[in-house]
């Protein structure tokens, strides 16, 4: 295995290409995270669980919009929810999603604070 890559469940070797189905599923997940609002929600939930009101306050969105974003993330399996009395609490329970989001956002924040490559990825979407 290549140093620093880690293990990839379901792959026979470090250079095997994933199946078309796996790539399509990954692209769909990244597509959902391409929204800065949804990415911010996942980032916030990676820090700890929260209800819709707390998330709306933290990310600065209207309750209906936050609810719609959470419904999409939940449908995709990126977040889950549980009921606590009258409240619905959301959380990211997949450590891999948390790792990916923290890695990407952290790396870009680090670059920006160092003054290198600031804004380089903006506008490069497919």
């Amino acid at each position: 295995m290549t140093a620093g890559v880690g293990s990839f469940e379901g792959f026979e070797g470090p250079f095997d290409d994933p199946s078309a189905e796996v790539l399509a599923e990954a692209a769909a997940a990244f597509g959902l995270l391409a929204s800065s609002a949804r990415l911010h929600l996942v980032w916030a939930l990676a820090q700890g669980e929260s209800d819709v009101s707390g998330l709306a306050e933290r990310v600065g969105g209207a309750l209906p919009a936050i609810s719609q974003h959470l419904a999409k993330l939940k449908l995709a399996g990126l977040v889950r929810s549980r009921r606590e009395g009258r409240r619905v609490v959301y959380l990211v329970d997949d450590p891999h999603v948390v790792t990916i989001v923290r890695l990407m956002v952290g790396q870009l924040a680090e670059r920006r604070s160092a003054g290198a490559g600031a804004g380089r990825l903006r506008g490069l979407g497919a």
Side-chain angles (χ1 to χ4, degrees):
M1 183 155 319
T2 305
V5 172
S7 66
F8 293 100
E9 203 171 295
F11 294 104
E12 294 183 19
F15 301 108
D16 291 341
D17 287 343
S19 69
E21 293 81 15
V22 168
L23 289 170
E25 192 172 340
F30 281 122
L32 279 170
L33 294 175
S35 156
S36 59
R38 286 191 290 270
L39 185 59
H40 196 174
L41 287 169
V42 173
W43 176 265
L45 290 171
Q47 314 309 310
E49 58 191 38
S50 182
D51 64 7
V52 178
S53 306
L55 288 167
E57 187 176 312
R58 180 166 179 179
V59 304
L63 283 174
I66 298 300
S67 292
Q68 285 181 346
H69 286 307
L70 288 167
K72 288 180 181 182
L73 290 168
K74 187 176 175 183
L75 188 61
L78 297 178
V79 302
R80 70 178 176 94
S81 65
R82 72 168 191 284
R83 188 164 285 285
E84 282 186 358
R86 295 165 73 140
R87 288 179 29 184
V88 177
V89 176
Y90 291 86
L91 62 142
V92 178
D93 68 338
D94 185 342
H96 299 300
V97 171
V98 171
T99 299
I100 290 166
V101 169
R102 283 185 176 162
L103 180 65
M104 177 57 93
V105 173
Q107 180 69 23
L108 292 172
E110 213 173 274
R111 274 192 208 167
R112 184 166 284 279
S113 69
R120 196 169 71 195
L121 296 178
R122 192 171 310 150
L124 294 179

